[in-house]
Amino acid sequence: MHVNRRIMNSFALALPPQSRSSPPSGRTQEIDATSKSALEQRYRHVRSFSEKLCQTLEPEDYVIQTMPEASPTKWHLAHTSWFFETFLMKQFFQDYDSMHPQFGFLFNSYYNAVGPFYSRTHRGLLSRPTVKEVFDYRADIDVLVSDLIESADEELLAKLEPILILGLHHEQQHQELMLTDIKSVFWQNPLRPVFRTRDEAETLPMPLMEWLRFREGLYWVGHDGPEFSYDNEGPRHRTFVPGFALASTLVTNAEYLAFMEDEGYRRPELWLSLGWNAVKERGWESPLYWEKRDGRWFAMTLAGMTEVVPEEPVCHVSLFEADAYARWNGARLPTEAEWEIASSSLPLNGNFVESELFHVTPIASSASDGRPAQMFGDVWEWTRSSYSPYPGYTAVEGALGEYNGKFMCNQYVLRGGSCATSQSHIRRTYRNFFPPDTRWQFSGIRLAKDLI
Ligand SMILES: [Fe+2]
């Protein structure tokens, strides 16, 4: 490898001073992973899971890009490695000499401060580097990261660790995108390939929805504390929330079918104006991936086409569809503050990617215990909150300040994680965000109501 591995003892980073002493886009001290072995183990665990996800893919699968907002699997695998090379290797190895200087252009996603980057919409046109070369690139980066950790003294370790942890959370985000993007690739193919086989879900009783009431008050929301979070989750602050009710369960396929059968997609009065435009222009008649065959609804899953299960949470709906469904139901979507307040006493358990089902599950029990069910995992829950900065928020200076802050326009917040999210990646304060017409993520609906 053509790389000078002398570590910068003087720590002459290109990052701004603020970025040197605190994690650039995630604020953390990550006390749990202070030892080198724990850090290396965590690194290997996350990196190897990306490769585990690829076990059933063939080389042809890695290259396709179905739409501008999705990326080929090969690009995700390379980009996550580029992230470590750019923000660790180039910062902490003196006179770092990249083995693939041109990869900086191909696999920089959107960091203007790092340099120019290849067109996002054309990522699927890159036959080179090959899949094998990308895996070799990953392996080389893994060796360098391991070298960096092992040879760092305590002071340097304290400085590189927050960036490394950020890189691992970044990779976990991309693992979810790898799944949603390969689902889109397989959906494009009339053969409807299977990513992973899955046993048929057990039939369970239809969940009974209850309205759970929450008092008005001044609540604390947002992240605070030593553990990792993205910068957009803070500062923790108080917000006044009027009394509200939250549905104890997610909206199911059966409930959503009732909306469809009541002409939900043909009634403009139910839709936001932009949503109605989307319905007409794109011919929406059902959630993404649904297909009617001989009068029965089927849906594309990562296990291929399967019949829609009435008891499962509805998935792959846009904010526009979630909002129209809520209006049809005489309800509304929750705000992100309401969602966070309602989840405050719940354990962070659910159907996450670790289950390797890669699909939503019906609620485990129809009995309500007075707490909202399936708040974490299964589907990201749309909120009616625009993705905007919390009071006092400022993005850090420098390239990694571009991670979150510059996207705070024309997007909506989703909460709770999905069956494609890592459990070790999600938090109660986690703010995911997508444009309101987005449907290819594992996104679903929970209803709310005013109590006024
Ligand atoms: Fe990224």
Side-chain angles (χ1 to χ4, degrees):
M1 282 185 276
H2 311 293
V3 61
N4 183 329
R5 294 193 194 170
R6 274 185 300 138
I7 290 180
M8 293 181 184
N9 291 321
S10 60
F11 198 59
L13 282 181
L15 291 169
Q18 191 179 355
S19 301
R20 297 176 199 171
S21 55
S22 63
S25 191
R27 294 183 173 134
T28 179
Q29 294 170 350
E30 207 66 31
I31 290 165
D32 291 342
T34 48
S35 76
K36 290 184 178 182
S37 62
L39 201 55
E40 278 196 270
Q41 198 177 5
R42 183 165 172 181
Y43 177 85
R44 280 196 300 274
H45 177 75
V46 172
R47 293 282 283 176
S48 63
F49 192 68
S50 299
E51 289 159 22
K52 187 180 184 190
L53 290 177
C54 299
Q55 279 173 349
T56 55
L57 299 184
E58 298 295 338
E60 292 82 354
D61 300 326
Y62 285 83
V63 185
I64 293 173
Q65 178 178 26
T66 56
M67 52 188 174
E69 55 269 43
S71 298
T73 305
K74 185 175 73 172
W75 189 90
H76 287 298
L77 292 171
H79 164 69
T80 47
S81 303
W82 166 88
F83 193 95
F84 287 110
E85 182 173 33
T86 302
F87 297 114
L88 276 182
M89 305 301 110
K90 291 184 180 175
Q91 312 302 338
F92 291 96
F93 281 127
Q94 205 165 40
D95 305 322
Y96 179 79
D97 184 12
S98 175
M99 290 167 283
H100 306 286
Q102 68 276 39
F103 283 8
F105 177 68
L106 288 180
F107 301 122
N108 175 3
S109 49
Y110 52 66
Y111 295 89
N112 292 302
V114 171
F117 43 83
Y118 183 71
S119 160
R120 181 187 185 192
T121 56
H122 294 99
R123 289 172 185 166
L125 300 181
L126 299 172
S127 61
R128 307 297 173 97
T130 63
V131 173
K132 181 182 180 308
E133 286 166 338
V134 165
F135 275 103
D136 289 346
Y137 176 49
R138 286 182 66 85
D140 289 341
I141 295 298
D142 289 347
V143 170
L144 289 172
V145 169
S146 182
D147 282 359
L148 184 62
I149 295 170
E150 280 173 23
S151 51
D153 60 23
E154 200 176 323
E155 185 188 353
L156 188 64
L157 193 68
K159 290 169 178 168
L160 69 85
E161 184 179 339
I163 301 174
L164 187 79
I165 297 293
L166 175 68
L168 293 177
H169 281 282
H170 172 254
E171 180 131 357
Q172 288 180 307
Q173 279 187 287
H174 277 275
Q175 287 167 356
E176 176 151 9
L177 293 170
M178 283 164 62
L179 289 166
T180 54
D181 294 358
I182 201 68
K183 188 170 183 176
S184 177
V185 170
F186 283 0
W187 165 249
Q188 288 294 322
N189 190 326
L191 298 176
R192 301 286 195 262
V194 171
F195 174 77
R196 288 283 198 286
T197 54
R198 175 168 46 84
D199 294 335
E200 240 176 72
E202 190 187 345
T203 307
L204 293 161
M206 192 67 75
L208 297 172
M209 193 272 269
E210 281 179 43
W211 286 109
L212 306 173
R213 298 164 70 89
F214 295 83
R215 282 193 196 135
E216 74 167 27
L218 200 56
Y219 290 92
W220 285 96
V221 295
H223 181 84
D224 191 21
E227 65 278 8
F228 176 86
S229 71
Y230 287 116
D231 62 356
N232 62 4
E233 295 167 55
R236 187 163 171 80
H237 61 283
R238 287 175 301 170
T239 188
F240 179 76
V241 178
F244 67 98
L246 190 76
S248 62
T249 57
L250 294 167
V251 172
T252 62
N253 287 326
E255 290 167 327
Y256 198 81
L257 270 164
F259 163 74
M260 290 163 57
E261 287 163 5
D262 195 33
E263 307 290 322
Y265 280 92
R266 294 186 181 81
R267 293 166 55 181
E269 70 273 17
L270 297 174
W271 295 79
L272 293 166
S273 175
L274 291 176
W276 184 242
N277 290 347
V279 168
K280 287 188 295 179
E281 288 164 11
R282 304 177 202 186
W284 288 352
E285 295 182 335
S286 66
L288 180 63
Y289 299 137
W290 284 35
E291 196 173 270
K292 205 167 196 179
R293 295 177 178 175
D294 301 326
R296 291 155 63 190
W297 283 105
F298 288 74
M300 181 64 180
T301 72
L302 282 165
M305 289 300 285
T306 59
E307 188 160 8
V308 168
V309 176
E311 297 84 0
E312 285 179 357
V314 68
C315 189
H316 295 298
V317 289
S318 62
L319 170 101
F320 292 139
E321 289 160 298
D323 177 83
Y325 175 84
R327 190 165 295 107
W328 172 77
N329 208 289
R332 61 169 173 80
L333 299 178
T335 66
E336 61 171 322
E338 290 169 344
W339 192 97
E340 195 169 314
I341 292 160
S343 72
S344 63
S345 63
L346 300 174
L348 241 160
N349 297 329
N351 172 27
F352 291 107
V353 74
E354 285 83 354
S355 73
E356 298 191 35
L357 291 173
F358 310 113
H359 190 63
V360 296
T361 49
I363 196 168
S365 164
S366 62
S368 169
D369 60 0
R371 301 193 299 176
Q374 291 181 295
M375 289 285 273
F376 294 106
D378 281 302
V379 290
W380 287 102
E381 300 178 25
W382 281 111
T383 74
R384 71 190 319 193
S385 300
S386 294
Y387 178 50
S388 58
Y390 282 162
Y393 170 82
T394 50
V396 293
E397 291 177 33
L400 279 168
E402 295 183 54
Y403 199 113
N404 283 312
K406 70 181 186 181
F407 300 109
M408 291 175 172
C409 180
N410 293 346
Q411 313 215 44
Y412 280 81
V413 174
L414 302 97
R415 293 297 195 113
S418 80
C419 57
T421 309
S422 288
Q423 189 166 16
S424 60
H425 178 62
I426 195 70
R427 284 169 302 285
R428 191 168 62 82
T429 57
Y430 195 113
R431 307 174 77 201
N432 198 0
F433 52 90
F434 278 99
D437 60 348
T438 301
R439 307 211 297 171
W440 98 109
Q441 295 301 300
F442 288 91
S443 48
I445 312 170
R446 184 184 300 274
L447 299 178
K449 269 185 178 176
D450 296 323
L451 286 182
I452 296 176

